[in-house]
Amino acid sequence: MTQPLLSIQIPYTKEREAETANLSKELIRQIQESKLQQYVSFELDGRGKEVTIGEKRNDLYQRAKGKYAVQWDSDDWIHENGVKLIIEVLQNNPDVDCCTYEEFIDIDGKIQRSNHSLKYADWADNQDGFDYVRTPFMKSVIKTEIAKSVPVPFVRFGEDHQWSQALKSHLHTEIHIDEQIYRYIHRSSDFNERYGIK
């Protein structure tokens, strides 16, 4: 059996089952319409809050079937042709370490832009015309063998930045998509409820 090119991985909790189903439905639509079934695999982790998000992410990478892996959060969204764009880039750049792209951000209705790229030294604000810049992390497409070799910290939040900094020295080549592939949606009321903040 041929190895899939991309593992799309979604960590979620029981409270996010509806969002996970909606995102999965959209990703399946993209895959089927573009006839990408042989190139993409899905791995999900819906264990409860007794397991840290860092542990879920780490376990998902270890389970990845694809040559590359990306982890998208269940309550966010993807460009309507995002999967096809990523697959095309990976097919045309078969040995690249990571694939990065721009991000559309909606925080309580305030629209912002972020860029992920290996060219940045660290996470920062207001750089290159973006509200935020990020070194590659879980939302970026990472070669699976590299992702597996860098353990994700077993913490409940902040694992993305910690892992990004540990990962950076293992990445040497990048292909960047100048499109807002990822749509990050944050609502303070949901966040406060999730973490018990009054």
Side-chain angles (χ1 to χ4, degrees):
M1 183 176 176
T2 305
Q3 181 186 23
L5 188 55
L6 178 66
S7 280
I8 296 176
Q9 305 186 313
I10 305 175
Y12 69 98
T13 60
K14 184 175 181 179
E15 293 79 6
R16 296 288 181 184
E17 285 180 348
E19 290 91 338
T20 304
N22 288 337
L23 177 57
S24 298
K25 183 178 179 180
E26 167 61 14
L27 295 172
I28 290 168
R29 179 197 66 76
Q30 293 188 27
I31 291 164
Q32 291 178 341
E33 287 187 3
S34 299
K35 298 179 172 55
L36 299 174
Q37 291 91 329
Q38 66 178 314
Y39 300 106
V40 181
S41 69
F42 274 103
E43 291 98 30
L44 284 75
D45 190 327
R47 287 178 292 174
K49 294 180 180 178
E50 71 279 359
V51 180
T52 67
I53 183 62
E55 187 173 354
K56 285 185 182 182
R57 293 192 185 283
N58 201 66
D59 289 350
L60 281 168
Y61 279 130
Q62 297 305 317
R63 289 166 44 200
K65 298 182 179 69
K67 181 179 178 181
Y68 291 86
V70 64
Q71 295 189 0
W72 289 330
D73 292 343
S74 59
D75 52 342
D76 295 329
W77 205 247
I78 305 302
H79 183 290
E80 61 182 5
N81 293 313
V83 178
K84 180 181 179 182
L85 291 170
I86 290 170
I87 292 296
E88 288 176 347
V89 162
L90 294 178
Q91 288 175 322
N92 293 327
N93 300 272
D95 297 316
V96 72
D97 288 343
C98 64
C99 170
T100 56
Y101 36 76
E102 296 179 17
E103 179 179 358
F104 171 93
I105 299 174
D106 176 352
I107 300 180
D108 295 328
K110 181 180 180 181
I111 306 304
Q112 298 174 306
R113 296 168 62 235
S114 177
N115 194 34
H116 309 169
S117 178
L118 196 55
K119 70 180 181 179
Y120 300 119
D122 199 349
W123 293 22
D125 300 346
N126 301 312
Q127 190 170 326
D128 289 348
F130 293 93
D131 297 285
Y132 309 99
V133 298
R134 303 285 185 255
T135 48
F137 63 121
M138 292 85 175
K139 294 177 186 177
S140 311
V141 179
I142 309 294
K143 188 177 284 187
T144 298
E145 65 183 39
I146 297 175
K148 287 182 176 181
S149 72
V150 183
V152 181
F154 284 14
V155 295
R156 296 202 175 276
F157 54 87
E159 81 293 343
D160 47 2
H161 184 224
Q162 291 182 46
W163 190 69
S164 177
Q165 291 305 289
L167 178 70
K168 193 172 188 299
S169 64
H170 297 264
L171 301 174
H172 304 289
T173 56
E174 166 190 45
I175 188 72
H176 189 272
I177 302 175
D178 295 323
E179 294 276 358
Q180 293 178 344
I181 299 295
Y182 197 82
R183 315 293 172 89
Y184 173 76
I185 304 166
H186 176 88
R187 296 292 177 264
S188 296
S189 57
D190 294 342
F191 181 89
N192 293 348
E193 181 180 351
R194 188 185 309 179
Y195 294 107
I197 300 171
K198 302 276 186 176

